[in-house]
Amino acid sequence: MRRDTPPRETVIRRFLDQAGWGAARRQPMGADWSARRYERLTLNGATAILMDCRDEVAASQVPPFVQIAGLLRDCALSAPLILAGDEPQGLLLIEDFGGDDYARLLDSGEEPWQPLYEVATDVLVTLHQRFVPASAPDLSRYDVGLFRDQVMLFADAFAPVVRGRALPAGAWDELAEAWEGVLPTALSLPPTLLLRDYHPGNLMRLKGRAGVAACGLLDFQDGGIGPRAYDLVSLLEDARRDVPEELRQAMTLRYLAAFPDIDQGAFRASAAILGAVRHARILGRVAQLIQATTGAPQLSFLPRVWGQFTGAIRHPALSPIAHWVERHLPANLDADTIVRSF
């Protein structure tokens, strides 16, 4: 006879008891865009973070989180220590990095932007100098097929809404072929460890640590082996805030100065393509969330991300994507029109 699955709270309490944190005070911290939720635990003056991955998809990301955390620490970077784990149940107890995330510091005006972005850029320099892809042969590979599959959410969820009708026959395949044509250019440079969601909301200022170790890293469970420009683009072309152009250019040059052997034109072409991929995927994902959830707060991201996407596809390497947009999306599509569409 099949045994009933115990209630989630029972599973969590059992896990915390076994980890020695059963008597801790628990404070909810909210959730992200997935089925993950977090709590801060306090016990005898010590704190830790409970990561609770409540469905099979989120739970499947626990093993790569643990693996990538170890790889980052091997590079002398600050990923959280894993204090306890029950991977089959999707539960982790991890080191608490505190509350000074870059997003709060930037948005509150407490800190000048440039020093924070300099450290975040230097983290990528250190990672790309020290990480050896052969050391993690089982990590996901961000290749042409994977990027194409992710970016086509743009055609599935975003394009039909702003058009006000379905795409014409053949348009979906046409866009997929266009991406397949431009993506190899993005992958032309030597690969490295790609963290995927490298933005201020996932970066923490850690007191008492110096240099790149002063930047705590979170939310890297979707990482894998992929093109080195991706995370720098994620940092500098943020869906949540406008990063000044002079700061973006300064950080790009700061990164490139650490790798004099990299062809700068090839790097910038890769960055443009990967930026367009990321922006298009976000447009599709936000469109999904808005249609599934009344009043989804991510609606406010759409105008900025649309501007980032249209800016990226001006690069000559992305002309096939620009031509598709001209043919299949409304002319002069602007922020107000996009928001009204949803």
Short mmCIF file of all heavy atoms in Angstrom, two decimals, residues 72 77 117-131 192-196 198 203 212 215 217 228-236 255 258-259 267:
data_model
loop_
_atom_site.label_atom_id
_atom_site.label_comp_id
_atom_site.label_asym_id
_atom_site.label_seq_id
_atom_site.Cartn_x
_atom_site.Cartn_y
_atom_site.Cartn_z
N LEU A 72 32.97 27.37 -6.59
CA LEU A 72 33.24 28.78 -6.34
C LEU A 72 34.19 28.95 -5.16
O LEU A 72 35.12 29.77 -5.21
CB LEU A 72 31.92 29.52 -6.08
CG LEU A 72 30.99 29.65 -7.29
CD1 LEU A 72 29.61 30.15 -6.86
CD2 LEU A 72 31.59 30.57 -8.34
N LEU A 77 36.25 32.26 -3.85
CA LEU A 77 35.10 33.17 -3.88
C LEU A 77 34.12 32.78 -2.78
O LEU A 77 34.15 31.66 -2.27
CB LEU A 77 34.43 33.11 -5.25
CG LEU A 77 35.31 33.56 -6.42
CD1 LEU A 77 34.62 33.30 -7.74
CD2 LEU A 77 35.69 35.02 -6.29
N TYR A 117 30.17 47.72 -8.24
CA TYR A 117 30.29 47.08 -9.55
C TYR A 117 31.73 46.66 -9.84
O TYR A 117 31.97 45.66 -10.54
CB TYR A 117 29.75 48.01 -10.64
CG TYR A 117 28.26 47.93 -10.79
CD1 TYR A 117 27.42 48.76 -10.05
CD2 TYR A 117 27.67 46.99 -11.64
CE1 TYR A 117 26.04 48.68 -10.17
CE2 TYR A 117 26.29 46.91 -11.76
CZ TYR A 117 25.48 47.74 -11.02
OH TYR A 117 24.11 47.63 -11.13
N GLU A 118 32.69 47.38 -9.33
CA GLU A 118 34.09 46.99 -9.51
C GLU A 118 34.36 45.64 -8.85
O GLU A 118 34.99 44.76 -9.44
CB GLU A 118 35.02 48.06 -8.97
CG GLU A 118 35.10 49.31 -9.85
CD GLU A 118 35.98 50.39 -9.25
OE1 GLU A 118 36.38 50.26 -8.06
OE2 GLU A 118 36.26 51.39 -9.95
N VAL A 119 33.88 45.47 -7.61
CA VAL A 119 34.10 44.19 -6.94
C VAL A 119 33.36 43.08 -7.67
O VAL A 119 33.91 41.99 -7.87
CB VAL A 119 33.64 44.27 -5.47
CG1 VAL A 119 33.77 42.91 -4.80
CG2 VAL A 119 34.47 45.30 -4.70
N ALA A 120 32.12 43.34 -8.09
CA ALA A 120 31.36 42.32 -8.81
C ALA A 120 32.03 41.92 -10.12
O ALA A 120 32.04 40.75 -10.51
CB ALA A 120 29.94 42.81 -9.07
N THR A 121 32.61 42.90 -10.81
CA THR A 121 33.35 42.60 -12.05
C THR A 121 34.61 41.81 -11.74
O THR A 121 34.95 40.85 -12.45
CB THR A 121 33.69 43.91 -12.78
OG1 THR A 121 32.47 44.60 -13.09
CG2 THR A 121 34.46 43.64 -14.07
N ASP A 122 35.30 42.18 -10.67
CA ASP A 122 36.52 41.46 -10.30
C ASP A 122 36.23 40.02 -9.88
O ASP A 122 37.08 39.14 -10.06
CB ASP A 122 37.23 42.20 -9.17
CG ASP A 122 37.82 43.54 -9.61
OD1 ASP A 122 37.89 43.77 -10.84
OD2 ASP A 122 38.20 44.35 -8.74
N VAL A 123 35.05 39.78 -9.33
CA VAL A 123 34.66 38.40 -9.03
C VAL A 123 34.65 37.56 -10.31
O VAL A 123 35.16 36.44 -10.35
CB VAL A 123 33.28 38.36 -8.34
CG1 VAL A 123 32.71 36.94 -8.34
CG2 VAL A 123 33.38 38.88 -6.91
N LEU A 124 34.07 38.12 -11.38
CA LEU A 124 34.04 37.39 -12.64
C LEU A 124 35.44 37.20 -13.20
O LEU A 124 35.77 36.13 -13.74
CB LEU A 124 33.16 38.12 -13.65
CG LEU A 124 31.67 38.21 -13.30
CD1 LEU A 124 30.91 38.99 -14.36
CD2 LEU A 124 31.07 36.81 -13.13
N VAL A 125 36.29 38.22 -13.08
CA VAL A 125 37.68 38.08 -13.53
C VAL A 125 38.34 36.92 -12.79
O VAL A 125 38.98 36.04 -13.41
CB VAL A 125 38.46 39.39 -13.30
CG1 VAL A 125 39.95 39.17 -13.51
CG2 VAL A 125 37.95 40.48 -14.25
N THR A 126 38.21 36.89 -11.47
CA THR A 126 38.83 35.83 -10.67
C THR A 126 38.29 34.47 -11.05
O THR A 126 39.04 33.50 -11.22
CB THR A 126 38.58 36.10 -9.18
OG1 THR A 126 39.18 37.34 -8.81
CG2 THR A 126 39.17 35.00 -8.31
N LEU A 127 36.97 34.37 -11.18
CA LEU A 127 36.36 33.10 -11.55
C LEU A 127 36.86 32.62 -12.89
O LEU A 127 37.25 31.45 -13.06
CB LEU A 127 34.83 33.26 -11.57
CG LEU A 127 34.02 32.05 -12.04
CD1 LEU A 127 34.27 30.85 -11.14
CD2 LEU A 127 32.53 32.40 -12.07
N HIS A 128 36.91 33.51 -13.88
CA HIS A 128 37.29 33.10 -15.23
C HIS A 128 38.79 32.85 -15.35
O HIS A 128 39.22 32.12 -16.26
CB HIS A 128 36.83 34.16 -16.23
CG HIS A 128 35.35 34.35 -16.24
ND1 HIS A 128 34.73 35.39 -16.91
CD2 HIS A 128 34.35 33.63 -15.66
CE1 HIS A 128 33.42 35.28 -16.73
NE2 HIS A 128 33.17 34.24 -15.98
N GLN A 129 39.58 33.40 -14.46
CA GLN A 129 41.01 33.10 -14.44
C GLN A 129 41.30 31.76 -13.78
O GLN A 129 42.23 31.05 -14.18
CB GLN A 129 41.77 34.20 -13.69
CG GLN A 129 41.88 35.52 -14.46
CD GLN A 129 42.53 36.61 -13.64
OE1 GLN A 129 42.50 36.59 -12.41
NE2 GLN A 129 43.09 37.62 -14.31
N ARG A 130 40.51 31.38 -12.79
CA ARG A 130 40.84 30.21 -11.96
C ARG A 130 40.06 28.96 -12.29
O ARG A 130 40.55 27.85 -12.06
CB ARG A 130 40.63 30.56 -10.48
CG ARG A 130 41.53 31.69 -9.99
CD ARG A 130 41.36 31.95 -8.51
NE ARG A 130 42.23 33.03 -8.05
CZ ARG A 130 42.31 33.45 -6.80
NH1 ARG A 130 41.56 32.89 -5.86
NH2 ARG A 130 43.12 34.46 -6.49
N PHE A 131 38.85 29.11 -12.81
CA PHE A 131 38.02 27.93 -13.04
C PHE A 131 38.49 27.17 -14.28
O PHE A 131 38.75 27.77 -15.33
CB PHE A 131 36.56 28.33 -13.21
CG PHE A 131 35.67 27.17 -13.54
CD1 PHE A 131 35.35 26.23 -12.57
CD2 PHE A 131 35.16 27.00 -14.82
CE1 PHE A 131 34.54 25.15 -12.87
CE2 PHE A 131 34.35 25.93 -15.13
CZ PHE A 131 34.03 25.00 -14.15
N THR A 192 33.59 29.06 -19.77
CA THR A 192 33.94 29.10 -18.35
C THR A 192 32.71 28.72 -17.54
O THR A 192 31.71 28.24 -18.10
CB THR A 192 34.47 30.49 -17.96
OG1 THR A 192 34.96 30.46 -16.62
CG2 THR A 192 33.40 31.55 -18.10
N LEU A 193 32.76 28.93 -16.22
CA LEU A 193 31.60 28.68 -15.38
C LEU A 193 30.64 29.86 -15.47
O LEU A 193 31.00 30.99 -15.11
CB LEU A 193 32.03 28.46 -13.92
CG LEU A 193 30.91 28.18 -12.91
CD1 LEU A 193 30.09 26.97 -13.31
CD2 LEU A 193 31.48 28.00 -11.51
N LEU A 194 29.45 29.61 -15.96
CA LEU A 194 28.42 30.64 -16.14
C LEU A 194 27.44 30.50 -14.98
O LEU A 194 26.89 29.42 -14.74
CB LEU A 194 27.75 30.40 -17.49
CG LEU A 194 26.64 31.31 -17.99
CD1 LEU A 194 26.56 31.23 -19.52
CD2 LEU A 194 25.29 30.93 -17.40
N LEU A 195 27.21 31.59 -14.24
CA LEU A 195 26.34 31.55 -13.06
C LEU A 195 24.88 31.84 -13.39
O LEU A 195 24.00 31.51 -12.63
CB LEU A 195 26.86 32.53 -12.00
CG LEU A 195 28.29 32.27 -11.54
CD1 LEU A 195 28.70 33.28 -10.48
CD2 LEU A 195 28.46 30.85 -11.01
N ARG A 196 24.64 32.53 -14.48
CA ARG A 196 23.33 32.75 -15.12
C ARG A 196 22.50 33.88 -14.52
O ARG A 196 21.96 34.69 -15.26
CB ARG A 196 22.49 31.46 -15.12
CG ARG A 196 21.20 31.60 -15.94
CD ARG A 196 20.52 30.27 -16.12
NE ARG A 196 19.26 30.37 -16.85
CZ ARG A 196 18.08 30.52 -16.26
NH1 ARG A 196 18.02 30.61 -14.94
NH2 ARG A 196 16.98 30.58 -16.97
N TYR A 198 23.47 36.49 -12.45
CA TYR A 198 24.48 37.29 -11.77
C TYR A 198 24.05 38.76 -11.83
O TYR A 198 24.39 39.49 -12.75
CB TYR A 198 25.84 37.09 -12.46
CG TYR A 198 27.02 37.62 -11.68
CD1 TYR A 198 27.50 36.94 -10.58
CD2 TYR A 198 27.64 38.81 -12.05
CE1 TYR A 198 28.59 37.42 -9.86
CE2 TYR A 198 28.73 39.29 -11.34
CZ TYR A 198 29.20 38.60 -10.25
OH TYR A 198 30.27 39.08 -9.54
N LEU A 203 23.87 39.30 -5.13
CA LEU A 203 25.21 39.62 -4.65
C LEU A 203 25.10 40.28 -3.28
O LEU A 203 24.26 41.14 -3.07
CB LEU A 203 25.93 40.54 -5.63
CG LEU A 203 26.02 40.06 -7.07
CD1 LEU A 203 26.71 41.11 -7.95
CD2 LEU A 203 26.76 38.73 -7.15
N VAL A 212 37.72 40.26 -3.54
CA VAL A 212 36.57 39.58 -4.15
C VAL A 212 35.81 38.74 -3.13
O VAL A 212 34.62 38.46 -3.31
CB VAL A 212 37.00 38.72 -5.35
CG1 VAL A 212 37.51 39.59 -6.49
CG2 VAL A 212 38.05 37.69 -4.95
N CYS A 215 32.33 39.87 -1.67
CA CYS A 215 31.10 39.77 -2.45
C CYS A 215 30.55 38.35 -2.32
O CYS A 215 31.14 37.40 -2.85
CB CYS A 215 31.37 40.11 -3.91
SG CYS A 215 29.92 40.04 -4.97
N LEU A 217 27.97 35.30 -3.07
CA LEU A 217 27.28 34.85 -4.27
C LEU A 217 26.11 33.94 -3.91
O LEU A 217 26.26 33.02 -3.10
CB LEU A 217 28.26 34.10 -5.18
CG LEU A 217 29.54 34.86 -5.53
CD1 LEU A 217 30.47 33.97 -6.35
CD2 LEU A 217 29.22 36.14 -6.28
N ARG A 228 31.72 33.28 -21.60
CA ARG A 228 32.19 34.11 -20.49
C ARG A 228 31.53 35.48 -20.43
O ARG A 228 31.52 36.12 -19.38
CB ARG A 228 33.70 34.27 -20.58
CG ARG A 228 34.21 34.90 -21.87
CD ARG A 228 35.73 34.97 -21.91
NE ARG A 228 36.36 33.69 -21.62
CZ ARG A 228 37.27 33.51 -20.64
NH1 ARG A 228 37.64 34.52 -19.89
NH2 ARG A 228 37.79 32.33 -20.44
N ALA A 229 30.97 35.96 -21.52
CA ALA A 229 30.36 37.29 -21.50
C ALA A 229 29.01 37.31 -20.82
O ALA A 229 28.52 38.39 -20.45
CB ALA A 229 30.23 37.83 -22.94
N TYR A 230 28.39 36.17 -20.63
CA TYR A 230 26.99 36.14 -20.19
C TYR A 230 26.79 36.81 -18.83
O TYR A 230 25.88 37.63 -18.65
CB TYR A 230 26.48 34.70 -20.14
CG TYR A 230 24.99 34.59 -19.93
CD1 TYR A 230 24.13 34.50 -21.02
CD2 TYR A 230 24.44 34.57 -18.65
CE1 TYR A 230 22.75 34.41 -20.83
CE2 TYR A 230 23.07 34.48 -18.46
CZ TYR A 230 22.24 34.40 -19.56
OH TYR A 230 20.88 34.32 -19.36
N ASP A 231 27.61 36.45 -17.84
CA ASP A 231 27.39 36.99 -16.50
C ASP A 231 27.71 38.48 -16.40
O ASP A 231 27.07 39.21 -15.64
CB ASP A 231 28.20 36.20 -15.47
CG ASP A 231 27.63 34.82 -15.22
OD1 ASP A 231 26.42 34.64 -15.40
OD2 ASP A 231 28.40 33.92 -14.86
N LEU A 232 28.67 38.94 -17.17
CA LEU A 232 28.95 40.38 -17.18
C LEU A 232 27.76 41.14 -17.76
O LEU A 232 27.38 42.20 -17.25
CB LEU A 232 30.23 40.68 -17.97
CG LEU A 232 30.71 42.13 -17.89
CD1 LEU A 232 31.09 42.51 -16.47
CD2 LEU A 232 31.88 42.36 -18.84
N VAL A 233 27.16 40.60 -18.80
CA VAL A 233 25.96 41.21 -19.36
C VAL A 233 24.83 41.21 -18.34
O VAL A 233 24.10 42.20 -18.18
CB VAL A 233 25.53 40.47 -20.65
CG1 VAL A 233 24.16 40.93 -21.12
CG2 VAL A 233 26.56 40.69 -21.75
N SER A 234 24.66 40.10 -17.62
CA SER A 234 23.62 40.03 -16.61
C SER A 234 23.79 41.11 -15.55
O SER A 234 22.81 41.69 -15.07
CB SER A 234 23.63 38.65 -15.92
OG SER A 234 23.40 37.63 -16.85
N LEU A 235 25.04 41.36 -15.18
CA LEU A 235 25.34 42.38 -14.18
C LEU A 235 25.05 43.79 -14.69
O LEU A 235 24.45 44.62 -13.99
CB LEU A 235 26.81 42.27 -13.76
CG LEU A 235 27.34 43.33 -12.80
CD1 LEU A 235 26.70 43.18 -11.43
CD2 LEU A 235 28.86 43.23 -12.70
N LEU A 236 25.46 44.07 -15.91
CA LEU A 236 25.46 45.44 -16.42
C LEU A 236 24.18 45.81 -17.16
O LEU A 236 23.90 46.99 -17.36
CB LEU A 236 26.66 45.66 -17.34
CG LEU A 236 28.03 45.44 -16.70
CD1 LEU A 236 29.15 45.65 -17.71
CD2 LEU A 236 28.22 46.34 -15.48
N TYR A 255 37.02 44.45 -17.16
CA TYR A 255 37.09 43.00 -17.38
C TYR A 255 38.08 42.66 -18.49
O TYR A 255 38.94 41.79 -18.33
CB TYR A 255 35.70 42.46 -17.72
CG TYR A 255 35.70 40.98 -18.02
CD1 TYR A 255 35.54 40.06 -17.01
CD2 TYR A 255 35.90 40.52 -19.32
CE1 TYR A 255 35.57 38.69 -17.27
CE2 TYR A 255 35.92 39.16 -19.59
CZ TYR A 255 35.77 38.26 -18.57
OH TYR A 255 35.81 36.91 -18.83
N ALA A 258 41.85 42.53 -17.92
CA ALA A 258 42.40 41.35 -17.24
C ALA A 258 42.65 40.20 -18.20
O ALA A 258 43.31 39.21 -17.81
CB ALA A 258 41.43 40.91 -16.14
N PHE A 259 42.17 40.32 -19.43
CA PHE A 259 42.32 39.24 -20.42
C PHE A 259 42.81 39.85 -21.74
O PHE A 259 42.05 39.94 -22.72
CB PHE A 259 40.99 38.51 -20.62
CG PHE A 259 40.46 37.85 -19.38
CD1 PHE A 259 39.50 38.49 -18.60
CD2 PHE A 259 40.94 36.61 -18.98
CE1 PHE A 259 39.02 37.90 -17.44
CE2 PHE A 259 40.47 36.00 -17.82
CZ PHE A 259 39.51 36.65 -17.05
N PHE A 267 34.47 39.58 -28.23
CA PHE A 267 33.82 39.62 -26.92
C PHE A 267 32.57 40.49 -26.96
O PHE A 267 31.51 40.11 -26.44
CB PHE A 267 34.79 40.14 -25.86
CG PHE A 267 34.22 40.15 -24.47
CD1 PHE A 267 34.31 39.04 -23.66
CD2 PHE A 267 33.57 41.28 -23.97
CE1 PHE A 267 33.76 39.03 -22.38
CE2 PHE A 267 33.02 41.29 -22.70
CZ PHE A 267 33.12 40.17 -21.89
#
